[in-house]
Amino acid sequence: MTSSKDKFLADSRRVSEDTQARAFRESGLEKYTLARSDKVARYASYESARSAAAAIKYAAINNLAEHLESFTSKLESRGAKVFFASDAARARDYILQVIRENNAKHVIKSKTMTSEEIHLNDALEDMGLEPVESDLGEYIIQLRGEAPYHFVFPAMHLSRRQVSDLFQERLGTHPTDDCEELTMIARRVMRQLYCTADVGVTGANFAISEIGAISITENEGNARLTTSLPRIHIAIVGIEKILPRVTDLAWFLPLLASAGTGQMITCYNTILSGPKRADEPDGPEEMHVVLLDNGRTRLLADAEQRDALHCIRCGACLNVCPIFRNIGGHSYGVTYQGPIGSVITPHYQGLQEFKHLAHASSLCGACTATCPVKIDLHHHLLQLRRDAVNEKPSITETIAMKGFAFLMNHPWLFKFAGKVGRFVSPFAKEAQGTLFDPVPGWTQSREAPQVAPESFREWYARHQKGKR
Amino acid sequence: MNISLFIPCYIDQLYPRVGISVVQILERLGHQVIFHDSLTCCGQPAFNSGFWEETRDVACKVVETLRRADAVVVPSGSCGAMMRVFYPQLFEGRPLEADARSLAMRTFEFSEFLVDQLGVTDLGASFNASVTFHDGCHGLRELNVKSQPRALLEKVTGLNLIEMNDTATCCGFGGSFAVKFPMISTAMGDTKLANARATEAPYIVSNDSSCLMHLQGLIDRQGLPIKTLHLAEVLASR
């Protein structure tokens, strides 16, 4: 079996060589960049908004137990059921049990990354159900049998033509390049399904502790239909989604929209606080909230990196990341792509198995600079590299690093190595591509620099002598 | 002022011209520059690989040797960031923490030292060509060095600075990243070079030789009609 790392290396290499696909990604992200800068410029002080949001999240995450208790008791007092799932299997089991107990036959979903995280669709299909994704992008990739490419823009890698071909093949529709028409095709399918579905599955963007309610942000209106038409609503919510007060949304809804999609505010923002009440004509009869841990408390225990739980999943760090822009989303091979994914995945799914994600970064810091809740993303990648070494150092790398430290701590040896390098470096070109190439990773695409005939320290010694 | 010069390992061995230019510029401004022959490297390669213990072995010597310097000038945003931003983290809770924090406050990237500490922008340099400037990420985002190199380049007689698109985007070097993930690094470098070449300037100037080593390597392999130069080399030319 190939390891996550081998698969990552193979996939990222293949994608980064595809300049046409890169240009397509770049043109999509260019539109985002312009829209985002325009919205950021409308803030009196975007920096203050980031600081305020970071402070609110800091307070929420550092009092998480208290907030989760308040959230749960308030929400349950209005008739919803809250289930704490310590891992993915328990979350799936609970959801399947709700479905079984209600003898439900049709499941419709609105966009939820926590559902991807626990691989809910596979589990539903295993029990003979056919869950349908109602978010347009998610629906497209579901038809293709793919995972989301980007956790905010799941189908950003596909052109209109590809979507049209897909619809033609799977739904028998006529080819069209028109976005509106493509949307209408999906909409016609969805409208039928909303009426027959007995279960609607969603995520949540925020869980508000003060009032015991979830807040869902979307652009298509599909989440509203998913949460109101089916008899049962199940929301899968990461425990880090907590916001203390309902007024905190005044910061977070505009920030999420600006940073995530370059909008002033997303089209639909809905606060859901329980199932249908006795005096209400519609809404779900049952509302279940699955609070998902699945590794999050492990991250919470890490004081140095716990600010990664501030994440509001806006995806801004992916959009600015030169690695994401060159390797695309599928190469990561995990639920959460990009810088935030590379930080949280080793915590959630295992440091040794996923430490390569922490190394697959030039540490440029563009992610940290853009994060609306100021997560210290690229420094966490460095800390993860350290943690991986402390936990299980590789023998060859340890020898290399001990050698490095010895070399650098002995200037005579450093100077001697420089002299050897000076002698050897003209021949290095001959070694390129052979077994004797000392740095094949460098020379496969780049010429190696030459060691200078006189080092700086030699020049400096001469220079000082000349002055005397 | 007691100015100590910290010359990164690769500048010492591969690009001595950069260090020489720094000495020439500071001496022309009337300053004595001290170079400590016992120092070779800031330890960043081990640090970025996760080997903090080995990094401390190298870094403690730097911290101790530079204890008495009034200012430490580093012609690299990357090594400068290592000493200013990461040394305090590296020695947190250890005996050298106070010294590391003190060194951090006295460490300056070369262009920021000239502009912010010495208050100089006009060095009497002349360089007859168009150039485009590449911001090294560590200098840009760890040290907030952005305006200083531009202020210096503006005063160079005959020089025309043409900004490239996405100037704040990483060139793809990233230390060991460049050899561990060569294709990603190369794709990033190619994007950077395409932006630089679109300016039609014959030179890419940067305050980080490590970025330039990567870009020059790509340029040489592909035979592109553009050259890289360190900021200090431009500022020392007459």
Side-chain angles (χ1 to χ4, degrees):
Chain A
M1 203 183 100
T2 51
S3 71
S4 308
K5 184 188 176 183
D6 292 338
K7 192 168 177 327
F8 176 85
L9 283 171
D11 290 351
S12 59
R13 164 181 283 264
R14 181 174 45 77
V15 178
S16 58
E17 282 172 343
D18 184 346
T19 49
Q20 217 177 336
R22 189 201 305 169
F24 182 73
R25 270 192 304 277
E26 289 290 326
S27 75
L29 288 171
E30 189 129 333
K31 284 176 212 140
Y32 157 84
T33 308
L34 287 173
R36 180 189 169 278
S37 353
D38 171 61
K39 301 311 171 300
V40 165
R42 288 168 193 242
Y43 277 78
S45 167
Y46 188 67
E47 280 314 301
S48 312
R50 286 176 79 206
S51 300
I56 292 168
K57 268 309 219 183
Y58 180 89
I61 295 301
N62 282 276
N63 296 288
L64 195 55
E66 212 173 281
H67 285 303
L68 288 171
E69 245 178 74
S70 160
F71 170 80
T72 304
S73 67
K74 299 222 158 91
L75 185 58
E76 287 197 322
S77 73
R78 285 186 299 268
K81 292 202 179 81
V82 177
F83 178 75
F84 276 85
S86 55
D87 58 24
R90 288 187 175 86
R92 281 193 306 264
D93 288 349
Y94 178 79
I95 294 166
L96 299 187
Q97 187 194 327
V98 170
I99 289 173
R100 244 181 256 121
E101 278 171 4
N102 284 279
N103 200 21
K105 296 280 177 263
H106 301 282
V107 177
I108 193 151
K109 298 173 70 198
S110 74
K111 188 168 170 16
T112 151
M113 289 310 295
T114 41
S115 149
E116 296 289 333
E117 184 183 330
I118 66 171
H119 302 289
L120 181 62
N121 283 3
D122 293 342
L124 293 173
E125 281 160 16
D126 284 348
M127 71 183 281
L129 297 173
E130 291 170 15
V132 178
E133 297 288 346
S134 63
D135 172 89
L136 180 56
E138 292 281 346
Y139 180 57
I140 291 165
I141 58 160
Q142 188 184 26
L143 287 180
R144 284 172 64 96
E146 280 178 355
Y149 191 81
H150 176 301
F151 59 73
V152 174
F153 311 131
M156 68 170 278
H157 57 307
L158 300 172
S159 67
R160 271 179 274 183
R161 167 48 48 91
Q162 284 171 295
V163 175
S164 168
D165 290 350
L166 175 74
F167 283 179
Q168 191 180 1
E169 185 197 318
R170 299 296 304 272
L171 307 170
T173 53
H174 291 293
T176 173
D177 255 359
D178 186 59
C179 277
E180 204 169 312
E181 219 173 302
L182 288 169
T183 311
M184 288 313 291
I185 293 171
R187 182 178 158 132
R188 277 193 292 274
V189 175
M190 289 310 148
R191 291 288 149 138
Q192 294 298 318
L193 293 170
Y194 288 121
C195 299
T196 51
D198 18 43
V199 175
V201 176
T202 72
N205 295 89
F206 305 102
I208 306 150
S209 116
E210 169 191 51
I211 58 167
I214 59 170
S215 170
I216 298 180
T217 288
E218 47 145 353
N219 271 317
E220 297 169 19
N222 61 310
R224 281 195 176 168
L225 291 167
T226 304
T227 54
S228 53
L229 288 179
R231 198 158 49 78
I232 300 159
H233 170 208
I234 303 172
I236 314 164
V237 184
I239 53 171
E240 82 284 16
K241 293 285 171 186
I242 284 287
L243 281 183
R245 295 160 302 265
V246 72
T247 49
D248 294 333
L249 291 174
W251 291 107
F252 282 89
L253 295 180
L255 266 181
L256 177 59
S258 318
T261 47
Q263 291 170 282
M264 296 262 266
I265 191 99
T266 319
C267 296
Y268 302 95
N269 292 287
T270 314
I271 296 175
L272 299 159
S273 57
K276 177 168 85 170
R277 276 177 282 193
D279 58 342
E280 286 173 341
D282 45 31
E285 288 159 24
E286 286 181 26
M287 178 183 181
H288 299 263
V289 172
V290 177
L291 284 175
L292 184 66
D293 178 345
N294 205 27
R296 286 162 175 79
T297 46
R298 265 201 302 280
L299 179 51
L300 184 66
D302 185 333
E304 189 181 47
Q305 296 176 47
R306 94 169 41 124
D307 71 345
L309 291 170
H310 294 184
C311 179
I312 57 172
R313 299 287 186 269
C314 68
C317 61
L318 281 69
N319 302 340
V320 300
C321 177
I323 313 296
F324 175 82
R325 292 173 86 121
N326 279 289
I327 70 171
H330 285 151
S331 303
Y332 289 88
V334 294
T335 306
Y336 302 103
Q337 313 79 9
I340 184 66
S342 300
V343 170
I344 62 177
T345 307
H347 286 278
Y348 292 2
Q349 289 179 251
L351 180 56
Q352 295 305 325
E353 179 75 7
F354 290 98
K355 64 184 178 189
H356 61 278
L357 295 177
H359 283 277
S361 164
S362 62
L363 303 170
C364 81
C367 48
T368 306
T370 201
C371 176
V373 288
K374 295 187 142 182
I375 302 170
D376 203 3
L377 289 158
H378 71 299
H379 290 165
H380 293 334
L381 296 176
L382 272 166
Q383 292 150 2
L384 282 165
R385 295 178 186 187
R386 175 206 59 199
D387 295 347
V389 167
N390 289 348
E391 189 183 275
K392 196 180 162 197
S394 101
I395 295 166
T396 46
E397 246 192 324
T398 307
I399 293 169
M401 289 303 156
K402 295 245 181 266
F404 161 81
F406 188 83
L407 173 72
M408 294 308 181
N409 270 338
H410 295 85
W412 62 267
L413 186 61
F414 179 76
K415 284 179 223 172
F416 177 72
K419 287 200 171 127
V420 173
R422 211 176 291 172
F423 177 73
V424 170
S425 117
F427 303 103
K429 211 174 158 65
E430 311 301 323
Q432 272 176 27
T434 73
L435 281 173
F436 300 101
D437 191 339
V439 273
W442 183 272
T443 54
Q444 62 175 261
S445 59
R446 289 161 287 221
E447 292 302 320
Q450 297 286 307
V451 179
E454 184 184 44
S455 68
F456 172 80
R457 62 188 68 234
E458 286 166 344
W459 173 86
Y460 184 82
R462 210 156 48 76
H463 178 69
Q464 289 302 100
K465 232 182 238 166
K467 279 204 278 191
R468 268 185 240 126
Chain B
M1 185 164 32
N2 173 356
I3 303 176
S4 279
L5 185 60
F6 184 87
I7 293 296
C9 48
Y10 58 93
I11 289 187
D12 180 51
Q13 293 296 326
L14 307 174
Y15 307 105
R17 209 53 264 154
V18 174
I20 296 167
S21 301
V22 171
V23 173
Q24 286 172 344
I25 290 165
L26 291 171
E27 287 187 349
R28 276 179 204 158
L29 291 168
H31 296 283
Q32 282 300 312
V33 184
I34 302 158
F35 169 71
H36 304 269
D37 194 59
S38 60
L39 300 183
T40 57
C41 175
C42 65
Q44 192 171 188
F47 183 73
N48 286 1
S49 302
F51 288 79
W52 289 24
E53 201 51 59
E54 287 72 13
T55 311
R56 275 188 285 268
D57 285 349
V58 176
C60 64
K61 195 164 166 190
V62 179
V63 172
E64 282 165 358
T65 307
L66 296 173
R67 217 175 241 150
R68 275 187 199 78
D70 294 324
V72 178
V73 176
V74 190
S76 153
S78 194
C79 305
M82 182 68 203
M83 292 160 69
R84 191 196 293 175
V85 180
F86 298 114
Y87 274 11
Q89 295 176 27
L90 193 63
F91 289 103
E92 200 176 305
R94 285 163 198 272
L96 274 181
E97 181 177 355
D99 286 321
R101 288 194 185 280
S102 155
L103 175 62
M105 291 166 69
R106 291 176 284 119
T107 300
F108 304 97
E109 183 274 333
F110 173 60
S111 72
E112 118 188 288
F113 181 72
L114 290 176
V115 176
D116 299 343
Q117 299 302 310
L118 298 183
V120 197
T121 48
D122 193 345
L123 299 164
S126 89
F127 190 83
N128 272 318
S130 291
V131 307
T132 189
F133 189 79
H134 164 63
D135 294 283
C137 296
H138 270 142
L140 181 66
R141 279 180 280 263
E142 303 289 355
L143 305 178
N144 290 313
V145 173
K146 186 173 175 75
S147 61
Q148 298 90 331
R150 290 172 172 81
L152 291 161
L153 287 173
E154 199 174 293
K155 292 285 163 67
V156 176
T157 311
L159 184 142
N160 176 29
L161 173 66
I162 310 170
E163 295 284 0
M164 66 176 114
N165 278 338
D166 299 331
T167 175
T169 301
C170 179
C171 69
F173 174 63
S176 61
F177 169 77
V179 286
K180 281 187 177 159
F181 303 93
M183 286 326 294
I184 310 177
S185 166
T186 299
M188 288 162 72
D190 285 343
T191 309
K192 175 67 43 184
L193 287 174
N195 280 323
R197 291 188 61 206
T199 67
E200 295 187 352
Y203 294 98
I204 304 173
V205 175
S206 176
N207 44 356
D208 241 312
S209 292
S210 49
C211 306
L212 296 180
M213 174 168 71
H214 161 66
L215 293 174
Q216 190 65 53
L218 289 167
I219 291 168
D220 290 344
R221 176 62 57 89
Q222 296 170 29
L224 302 176
I226 192 164
K227 272 196 199 117
T228 62
L229 271 179
H230 190 280
L231 178 69
E233 294 175 272
V234 175
L235 297 177
S237 45
R238 293 256 154 138

